[in-house]
């Protein structure tokens, strides 16, 4: 609801990706694994870091 805070995508994504690939070593997505510091979707970044409230505020700014 309130997000995890600024910069948390960068600090949380890589350990989560590593944990997922430890559980799924034969995944076809392993070839796509890389050091990612920023998601490819800005709305996803806002949602993770600012939560639903930040996402709604960003939507209001875009609409107005």
């Amino acid at each position: 609801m309130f997000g995890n805070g600024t910069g948390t995508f960068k600090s949380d994504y890589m350990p989560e990706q590593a944990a997922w690939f430890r559980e799924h070593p034969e995944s076809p997505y392993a070839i796509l694994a890389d050091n990612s510091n920023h998601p490819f979707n800005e709305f996803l970044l806002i949602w993770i870091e600012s939560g639903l409230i930040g996402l709604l505020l960003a939507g209001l700014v875009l609409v107005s």
Side-chain angles (χ1 to χ4, degrees), residues 14-29:
M14 293 306 296
E16 289 297 323
Q17 177 178 265
W20 194 86
F21 282 119
R22 268 194 302 274
E23 293 176 16
H24 304 91
E26 299 297 323
S27 172
Y29 300 113

Side-chain angles (χ1 to χ4, degrees), residues 15-50:
E16 289 297 323
Q17 177 178 265
W20 194 86
F21 282 119
R22 268 194 302 274
E23 293 176 16
H24 304 91
E26 299 297 323
S27 172
Y29 300 113
I31 195 168
L32 301 173
D34 196 10
N35 187 5
S36 181
N37 294 323
H38 198 277
F40 296 116
N41 186 329
E42 292 296 324
F43 293 109
L44 181 63
L45 178 67
I46 293 170
W47 193 356
I48 290 170
E49 293 187 351
S50 302

Side-chain angles (χ1 to χ4, degrees), residues 46 51-61:
I46 293 170
L52 187 58
I53 294 170
L55 187 62
L56 291 174
L57 288 173
L60 286 174
V61 168

